[in-house]
Amino acid sequence: MLFDTLFINGVIYTHDPSRPRANAIGVNAGRIISLDDELPATHFRKVYDLGGAAVVPGFNDAHCHLSMVGLAELQVDLRPSVCPTMEDLLAAVGTACADAPEGAWIQGAGYNQNYLDGQHPTAEQLDAVSNGHPVWLIHNSRHMGVANTAAFEAAGFSGRRGAQAPDGGAVPVDADGRAVGLLQETARALVTDHIPIPSVDDVAAMVDAGSRKVLPLGVTSITEPGLGAPAHIGHSPTDIAGYQTARDAGKLGVRHRDALPDHAAPLGRFR
């Protein structure tokens, strides 16, 4: 019988006080089965020379909203490294809108006005490229965002009028009293509460994308601080069933520990 992989010539930190370092590590079926010369190279299908690189245990993220990480991966990428100018940002949104099914919400993530000459996108700028789609763009801080006119109207604010900021939020308006598009802090909910709830399969896709984002960073386990309570700390009422669907399909790539609030939506099974 041959085992999977042997990694040699590394500086391996085991975190075992009785054996803190090793130079080789054998792996089979995702589990460590040997250190140093406990098993010879001839027992493995593949042997990789690490060239002296350090190897550490996988990181645990003690507060990780994995589905939200995945959602950002599936949204239009508006990070400054991808969209360094306002023109680039609007072009990216326009492309997404042109390719989307009729009436679909278009969401983007990661823009930073500090890289856009201090300017947030406006509703009118987004209207010009949105092809009638409601658009919501979340700031890289996730404490504010920008909506276009169609998004405001889907939320019940015709002509972007009448959007009153709740406590702890702000809705900047123009000289005619119309929201300019920016929603800060708690005011985000004026629009985001009207974005359609993701389906179970949508959440599973977010979990898959989130897993693929964090694994290359060395994160192999997480604590998800809340599922199924979107009014509090969860993502959507379909969280639990979506995570279970991802798990059953082999798309939940990290070990996980999950907090389930008493008021979480009891959808699906989760273990």
Side-chain angles (χ1 to χ4, degrees), residues 1-257:
M1 173 182 178
L2 291 178
F3 300 116
D4 290 341
T5 309
L6 179 67
F7 298 92
I8 63 172
N9 193 23
V11 181
I12 299 161
Y13 297 86
T14 68
H15 283 220
D16 180 353
S18 67
R19 191 176 186 174
R21 302 279 181 88
N23 296 314
I25 186 169
V27 177
N28 189 65
R31 294 183 178 275
I32 295 170
I33 60 171
S34 68
L35 292 174
D36 293 327
D37 57 358
E38 291 175 342
L39 289 174
T42 53
H43 282 50
F44 293 88
R45 295 185 183 90
K46 297 178 181 179
V47 177
Y48 286 101
D49 189 330
L50 297 174
V55 177
V56 299
F59 298 116
N60 172 70
D61 189 332
H63 185 121
C64 178
H65 296 277
L66 190 64
S67 62
M68 294 183 184
V69 172
L71 176 60
E73 289 297 292
L74 298 173
Q75 292 173 337
V76 184
D77 189 350
L78 303 177
R79 292 173 298 162
S81 60
V82 178
C83 297
T85 68
M86 186 67 76
E87 290 74 18
D88 293 326
L89 182 151
L90 294 172
V93 173
T95 297
C97 289
D99 294 339
E102 183 177 355
W105 279 73
I106 304 302
Q107 299 185 62
Y111 88 87
N112 186 339
Q113 85 285 0
N114 295 308
Y115 291 85
L116 303 172
D117 296 325
Q119 302 299 311
H120 295 271
T122 67
E124 291 182 352
Q125 287 176 311
L126 297 176
D127 291 345
V129 299
S130 64
N131 197 30
H133 290 280
V135 174
W136 170 249
L137 309 182
I138 190 72
H139 187 263
N140 73 316
S141 68
R142 308 197 75 83
H143 284 262
M144 53 186 159
V146 177
N148 73 340
T149 299
F152 273 98
E153 293 188 340
F157 303 110
S158 179
R160 308 197 308 276
R161 297 183 182 278
Q164 297 297 315
D167 290 343
V171 182
V173 298
D174 62 19
D176 294 325
R178 297 181 299 174
V180 298
L182 181 64
L183 298 173
Q184 297 171 293
E185 300 292 355
T186 57
R188 293 169 298 160
L190 295 175
V191 164
T192 59
D193 282 355
H194 297 273
I195 297 175
I197 293 172
S199 69
V200 170
D201 287 340
D202 289 336
V203 174
M206 294 174 199
V207 171
D208 179 26
S211 295
R212 288 186 280 107
K213 175 67 173 180
V214 302
L215 282 169
L217 302 176
V219 175
T220 58
S221 64
I222 68 164
T223 296
E224 166 66 62
L227 294 176
H232 302 277
I233 55 176
H235 187 108
S236 78
T238 55
D239 280 346
I240 299 171
Y243 268 71
Q244 184 67 61
T245 296
R247 181 188 185 279
D248 290 348
K251 294 181 178 180
L252 178 54
V254 295
R255 294 186 298 277
H256 54 91
R257 181 173 182 173

